[in-house]
Each structure stands twice: as structure tokens, then as C-alpha cells.
Amino acid sequence: MSGYWPWWAGAAGLALITVNYALTTDRSFGVSSAWDRVLHWRRERRLEKMDEEFADDRALAEALAAATAEHFGTGPSAPAVPPGAYGTSQPREADAEPVSEDTPVVGPGPAPLVTQAALLVSIFLGGLIAALTSGRFHLRFDMGPGFRNLVTADPITMLVLLFVGGVLVGFGTRLAGGCSSGHGLNGCGRLRPVSLVATAVFFGTAVAVSFLLWKVI
């Protein structure tokens, strides 16, 4: 490990990338969501065009109000909801907080598709530049001697295991609502409870599997 960066340098670099991405895009940093959107770029581009039609939050609110009025009706013949219906108390007008004109109706959506594509390209180029400058770059078609000695040396079995592992990682990422970058870097940095739990499960499982592979098997 002497040829790699010290752990604190890697931690500082990840922190700078995460903070810079959040300040630049006003969104959370995540790789799995970027992959999903880039792979389905046609669908995402259509959604972006639809969002551009309602770029103004007030225009969106007015359009939603008009659609609601058209669907449910707001004329005198429309049934009025009696006070206290459905077991809820109606707040008095004096207690209602005024809505500021600057208050956004909806939160920020996902980052632009171009931004997330640039993120994935930057990850690839960054790894390539690091490998070239350190003299460690070389093409290989297996997972190295450690994988061959510990798991399997058969290329077909190796491909099957890698494919199944990739599918399980993708399924778990979608099930958890994010990957290690989204939960571990952004979510934990913002003290989100779901990210703290997810990251604890990520690393706890990794420690248990590593112990099982190296000490038991």
C-alpha cells in the first residue's frame, strides 16, 4: 500500500469533491442515480423538457390549481367539505402561516443529465490519469491473483459470478435508495438517519463478508 495515497489525503479529496458538487449543483452527489439516468437518457431528456415548461414554481402551482379545479369542480354545486371532516380540525386563519412569494413550491429536482454524464466521464478519466501517472495502467481480463486463488480461476465461472454480483449490487442500491457514495458521503455528511443506517449496513456487511472470506473460508 506504500504506492497509494495516504488515507487522509483520499478522505480530504472525497470531502472536497462532495462539498464542491453540492455547492455547484445544489444537489446530493450519487453515482448509482447518475448511471441510471444516463442509461435511460431518452426518457430523462423527455422529462427534462417537460420540467422546462414549469420552470417557474408559481406557474406550476397555478397549473396544478387549475387542473384540480377542473377535475373536482369549484363552482357552487361542488360539495363543500364540512369543518372537522375526517376527524381533523381546521386551523383558524389567524394561525395559518402566510406563504412567502419566494418560498419554492417544489424541491430541486435531479441534476441535469449533462451534469451527471460529465460526472461519470470524470470518474473514468480521473482513474485513467491516476493509473497512467503512477505507472500502474495495464489491461487485464480477470480480477487478479487474489480472486483466482480465493474464489475461482475458471473464466466462465468468474464472469457468471461477476454478473450475478453486479445484479445484486444494483438491486440493493435501488432497494436502499442510493449507493455508498450517495448515503456514505452525502447522506452521512448531512446527518440523515436513513443514510446513517444504510451506511452502517453497507460497512457492517463488508466487514462480515471479509472476515468470512479471509478467516473462515
Side-chain angles (χ1 to χ4, degrees), residues 113-144:
L113 189 60
V114 176
T115 302
Q116 296 193 323
L119 168 66
L120 298 179
V121 173
S122 300
I123 293 175
F124 172 78
L125 292 179
L128 179 62
I129 293 173
L132 291 174
T133 55
S134 63
R136 297 176 179 271
F137 177 79
H138 62 279
L139 293 175
R140 63 186 314 158
F141 300 95
D142 60 7
M143 295 295 293

CSV table of all heavy atoms in Angstrom, one decimal, residues 113-144:
chain,number,residue,atom,x,y,z
A,113,LEU,N,-29.1,16.2,-16.9
A,113,LEU,CA,-28.5,15.0,-17.5
A,113,LEU,C,-27.1,15.2,-17.9
A,113,LEU,O,-26.2,14.3,-17.7
A,113,LEU,CB,-29.4,14.5,-18.6
A,113,LEU,CG,-29.1,13.1,-19.2
A,113,LEU,CD1,-29.2,12.0,-18.2
A,113,LEU,CD2,-30.0,12.8,-20.4
A,114,VAL,N,-26.8,16.3,-18.5
A,114,VAL,CA,-25.4,16.6,-18.9
A,114,VAL,C,-24.4,16.6,-17.7
A,114,VAL,O,-23.3,16.1,-17.8
A,114,VAL,CB,-25.4,17.9,-19.7
A,114,VAL,CG1,-23.9,18.3,-20.0
A,114,VAL,CG2,-26.2,17.9,-20.9
A,115,THR,N,-24.9,17.2,-16.6
A,115,THR,CA,-24.0,17.2,-15.4
A,115,THR,C,-23.7,15.8,-14.9
A,115,THR,O,-22.6,15.5,-14.6
A,115,THR,CB,-24.8,18.0,-14.3
A,115,THR,OG1,-25.0,19.3,-14.8
A,115,THR,CG2,-23.9,18.1,-13.0
A,116,GLN,N,-24.7,14.9,-14.9
A,116,GLN,CA,-24.4,13.6,-14.4
A,116,GLN,C,-23.6,12.7,-15.4
A,116,GLN,O,-22.8,11.9,-15.0
A,116,GLN,CB,-25.8,12.9,-14.1
A,116,GLN,CG,-26.5,13.6,-13.0
A,116,GLN,CD,-27.6,12.8,-12.4
A,116,GLN,OE1,-28.3,12.1,-13.1
A,116,GLN,NE2,-27.9,12.9,-11.1
A,117,ALA,N,-23.8,13.0,-16.7
A,117,ALA,CA,-22.9,12.3,-17.7
A,117,ALA,C,-21.5,12.8,-17.5
A,117,ALA,O,-20.5,12.0,-17.6
A,117,ALA,CB,-23.4,12.6,-19.1
A,118,ALA,N,-21.3,14.1,-17.3
A,118,ALA,CA,-19.9,14.6,-17.0
A,118,ALA,C,-19.3,14.0,-15.8
A,118,ALA,O,-18.1,13.8,-15.7
A,118,ALA,CB,-20.0,16.2,-16.9
A,119,LEU,N,-20.2,13.8,-14.8
A,119,LEU,CA,-19.7,13.2,-13.5
A,119,LEU,C,-19.1,11.8,-13.8
A,119,LEU,O,-18.0,11.4,-13.4
A,119,LEU,CB,-20.8,13.1,-12.5
A,119,LEU,CG,-20.5,12.2,-11.3
A,119,LEU,CD1,-19.4,12.8,-10.4
A,119,LEU,CD2,-21.8,12.0,-10.5
A,120,LEU,N,-19.8,11.0,-14.6
A,120,LEU,CA,-19.4,9.6,-14.9
A,120,LEU,C,-18.1,9.6,-15.7
A,120,LEU,O,-17.2,8.8,-15.5
A,120,LEU,CB,-20.5,8.8,-15.6
A,120,LEU,CG,-21.8,8.6,-14.8
A,120,LEU,CD1,-22.8,7.9,-15.6
A,120,LEU,CD2,-21.5,7.9,-13.5
A,121,VAL,N,-18.1,10.5,-16.7
A,121,VAL,CA,-16.9,10.6,-17.6
A,121,VAL,C,-15.7,11.1,-16.7
A,121,VAL,O,-14.5,10.6,-16.9
A,121,VAL,CB,-17.1,11.6,-18.7
A,121,VAL,CG1,-15.8,11.9,-19.5
A,121,VAL,CG2,-18.2,11.0,-19.7
A,122,SER,N,-15.9,12.0,-15.8
A,122,SER,CA,-14.8,12.5,-14.9
A,122,SER,C,-14.3,11.4,-14.1
A,122,SER,O,-13.0,11.3,-13.8
A,122,SER,CB,-15.3,13.6,-14.1
A,122,SER,OG,-15.7,14.7,-14.9
A,123,ILE,N,-15.1,10.5,-13.6
A,123,ILE,CA,-14.7,9.4,-12.7
A,123,ILE,C,-13.8,8.5,-13.6
A,123,ILE,O,-12.7,8.0,-13.1
A,123,ILE,CB,-15.9,8.6,-12.2
A,123,ILE,CG1,-16.6,9.4,-11.2
A,123,ILE,CG2,-15.4,7.3,-11.5
A,123,ILE,CD1,-17.9,8.8,-10.7
A,124,PHE,N,-14.2,8.2,-14.8
A,124,PHE,CA,-13.3,7.3,-15.7
A,124,PHE,C,-12.0,8.0,-16.0
A,124,PHE,O,-10.9,7.4,-15.9
A,124,PHE,CB,-14.1,7.0,-16.9
A,124,PHE,CG,-13.3,6.3,-18.0
A,124,PHE,CD1,-13.0,4.9,-17.9
A,124,PHE,CD2,-12.8,7.0,-19.1
A,124,PHE,CE1,-12.3,4.3,-18.8
A,124,PHE,CE2,-12.0,6.3,-20.0
A,124,PHE,CZ,-11.7,5.0,-19.9
A,125,LEU,N,-12.1,9.3,-16.4
A,125,LEU,CA,-10.8,9.9,-16.8
A,125,LEU,C,-9.9,10.1,-15.6
A,125,LEU,O,-8.7,10.0,-15.7
A,125,LEU,CB,-11.2,11.3,-17.4
A,125,LEU,CG,-11.9,11.3,-18.7
A,125,LEU,CD1,-12.1,12.7,-19.2
A,125,LEU,CD2,-11.0,10.5,-19.8
A,126,GLY,N,-10.5,10.4,-14.4
A,126,GLY,CA,-9.7,10.5,-13.2
A,126,GLY,C,-8.9,9.2,-12.8
A,126,GLY,O,-7.7,9.3,-12.5
A,127,GLY,N,-9.6,8.1,-12.9
A,127,GLY,CA,-9.0,6.8,-12.7
A,127,GLY,C,-7.9,6.5,-13.7
A,127,GLY,O,-6.8,6.0,-13.4
A,128,LEU,N,-8.2,6.8,-15.0
A,128,LEU,CA,-7.2,6.6,-16.0
A,128,LEU,C,-6.0,7.4,-15.9
A,128,LEU,O,-4.8,6.9,-16.0
A,128,LEU,CB,-7.9,6.9,-17.4
A,128,LEU,CG,-7.0,6.7,-18.6
A,128,LEU,CD1,-6.5,5.2,-18.7
A,128,LEU,CD2,-7.7,7.1,-19.9
A,129,ILE,N,-6.1,8.7,-15.6
A,129,ILE,CA,-5.0,9.6,-15.4
A,129,ILE,C,-4.2,9.1,-14.2
A,129,ILE,O,-2.9,9.1,-14.2
A,129,ILE,CB,-5.5,11.0,-15.2
A,129,ILE,CG1,-6.1,11.6,-16.5
A,129,ILE,CG2,-4.3,11.9,-14.8
A,129,ILE,CD1,-6.7,12.9,-16.4
A,130,ALA,N,-4.8,8.7,-13.1
A,130,ALA,CA,-4.1,8.3,-11.9
A,130,ALA,C,-3.3,7.0,-12.2
A,130,ALA,O,-2.2,6.9,-11.8
A,130,ALA,CB,-5.1,8.0,-10.7
A,131,ALA,N,-3.9,6.1,-13.0
A,131,ALA,CA,-3.2,4.9,-13.3
A,131,ALA,C,-2.0,5.1,-14.2
A,131,ALA,O,-0.9,4.5,-14.1
A,131,ALA,CB,-4.2,3.9,-14.0
A,132,LEU,N,-2.2,6.0,-15.2
A,132,LEU,CA,-1.1,6.3,-16.1
A,132,LEU,C,0.1,7.0,-15.4
A,132,LEU,O,1.2,6.7,-15.7
A,132,LEU,CB,-1.6,7.2,-17.3
A,132,LEU,CG,-2.6,6.5,-18.3
A,132,LEU,CD1,-3.1,7.5,-19.3
A,132,LEU,CD2,-1.9,5.3,-19.0
A,133,THR,N,-0.2,8.0,-14.6
A,133,THR,CA,0.8,8.8,-13.9
A,133,THR,C,1.6,8.0,-12.9
A,133,THR,O,2.8,8.2,-12.6
A,133,THR,CB,0.2,10.0,-13.3
A,133,THR,OG1,-0.8,9.6,-12.4
A,133,THR,CG2,-0.3,11.0,-14.3
A,134,SER,N,0.9,7.0,-12.3
A,134,SER,CA,1.6,6.1,-11.3
A,134,SER,C,2.3,4.9,-12.0
A,134,SER,O,3.0,4.2,-11.3
A,134,SER,CB,0.6,5.6,-10.3
A,134,SER,OG,-0.4,4.8,-10.9
A,135,GLY,N,2.1,4.7,-13.3
A,135,GLY,CA,2.7,3.6,-14.0
A,135,GLY,C,2.1,2.3,-13.7
A,135,GLY,O,2.7,1.2,-13.9
A,136,ARG,N,0.8,2.3,-13.2
A,136,ARG,CA,0.1,1.0,-12.9
A,136,ARG,C,-0.9,0.6,-13.9
A,136,ARG,O,-1.6,-0.4,-13.8
A,136,ARG,CB,-0.6,1.2,-11.5
A,136,ARG,CG,0.3,1.4,-10.3
A,136,ARG,CD,-0.5,1.7,-9.1
A,136,ARG,NE,0.3,1.9,-7.9
A,136,ARG,CZ,0.8,1.0,-7.1
A,136,ARG,NH1,0.4,-0.3,-7.4
A,136,ARG,NH2,1.5,1.3,-6.1
A,137,PHE,N,-1.0,1.3,-15.0
A,137,PHE,CA,-2.0,1.0,-16.0
A,137,PHE,C,-1.6,-0.2,-16.9
A,137,PHE,O,-0.5,-0.2,-17.5
A,137,PHE,CB,-2.2,2.2,-16.9
A,137,PHE,CG,-3.2,2.0,-18.0
A,137,PHE,CD1,-4.6,2.0,-17.7
A,137,PHE,CD2,-2.8,1.7,-19.3
A,137,PHE,CE1,-5.5,1.7,-18.7
A,137,PHE,CE2,-3.7,1.4,-20.3
A,137,PHE,CZ,-5.1,1.5,-20.0
A,138,HIS,N,-2.5,-1.2,-16.9
A,138,HIS,CA,-2.3,-2.3,-17.9
A,138,HIS,C,-3.6,-3.0,-18.0
A,138,HIS,O,-4.4,-3.0,-17.0
A,138,HIS,CB,-1.2,-3.2,-17.4
A,138,HIS,CG,-1.5,-3.9,-16.1
A,138,HIS,ND1,-1.2,-3.3,-14.9
A,138,HIS,CD2,-2.0,-5.2,-15.8
A,138,HIS,CE1,-1.6,-4.1,-13.9
A,138,HIS,NE2,-2.0,-5.3,-14.5
A,139,LEU,N,-3.9,-3.5,-19.2
A,139,LEU,CA,-5.2,-4.1,-19.4
A,139,LEU,C,-5.1,-5.6,-18.9
A,139,LEU,O,-4.1,-6.3,-19.0
A,139,LEU,CB,-5.5,-4.2,-20.9
A,139,LEU,CG,-5.8,-2.8,-21.6
A,139,LEU,CD1,-5.9,-3.0,-23.1
A,139,LEU,CD2,-7.0,-2.2,-21.0
A,140,ARG,N,-6.2,-6.0,-18.3
A,140,ARG,CA,-6.4,-7.4,-17.8
A,140,ARG,C,-7.8,-7.8,-17.9
A,140,ARG,O,-8.7,-7.0,-17.9
A,140,ARG,CB,-5.8,-7.5,-16.4
A,140,ARG,CG,-6.6,-6.7,-15.3
A,140,ARG,CD,-5.9,-6.8,-14.0
A,140,ARG,NE,-5.6,-8.2,-13.7
A,140,ARG,CZ,-4.6,-8.5,-12.8
A,140,ARG,NH1,-3.9,-7.6,-12.1
A,140,ARG,NH2,-4.3,-9.8,-12.6
A,141,PHE,N,-8.0,-9.1,-18.0
A,141,PHE,CA,-9.4,-9.6,-18.2
A,141,PHE,C,-9.8,-10.5,-17.1
A,141,PHE,O,-10.6,-11.4,-17.3
A,141,PHE,CB,-9.4,-10.3,-19.5
A,141,PHE,CG,-9.1,-9.5,-20.7
A,141,PHE,CD1,-7.8,-9.4,-21.2
A,141,PHE,CD2,-10.1,-8.7,-21.3
A,141,PHE,CE1,-7.5,-8.6,-22.3
A,141,PHE,CE2,-9.8,-7.8,-22.4
A,141,PHE,CZ,-8.5,-7.8,-22.9
A,142,ASP,N,-9.2,-10.4,-15.9
A,142,ASP,CA,-9.6,-11.1,-14.7
A,142,ASP,C,-9.6,-10.2,-13.5
A,142,ASP,O,-9.3,-9.0,-13.6
A,142,ASP,CB,-8.8,-12.4,-14.5
A,142,ASP,CG,-7.3,-12.0,-14.3
A,142,ASP,OD1,-7.0,-10.8,-14.2
A,142,ASP,OD2,-6.5,-13.0,-14.3
A,143,MET,N,-9.8,-10.7,-12.4
A,143,MET,CA,-9.9,-9.9,-11.1
A,143,MET,C,-8.6,-10.0,-10.4
A,143,MET,O,-8.5,-9.6,-9.2
A,143,MET,CB,-11.0,-10.4,-10.3
A,143,MET,CG,-12.4,-10.1,-10.9
A,143,MET,SD,-12.7,-8.4,-11.1
A,143,MET,CE,-12.9,-7.9,-9.4
A,144,GLY,N,-7.5,-10.6,-11.0
A,144,GLY,CA,-6.2,-10.7,-10.3
A,144,GLY,C,-6.0,-12.0,-9.6
A,144,GLY,O,-6.9,-12.8,-9.4
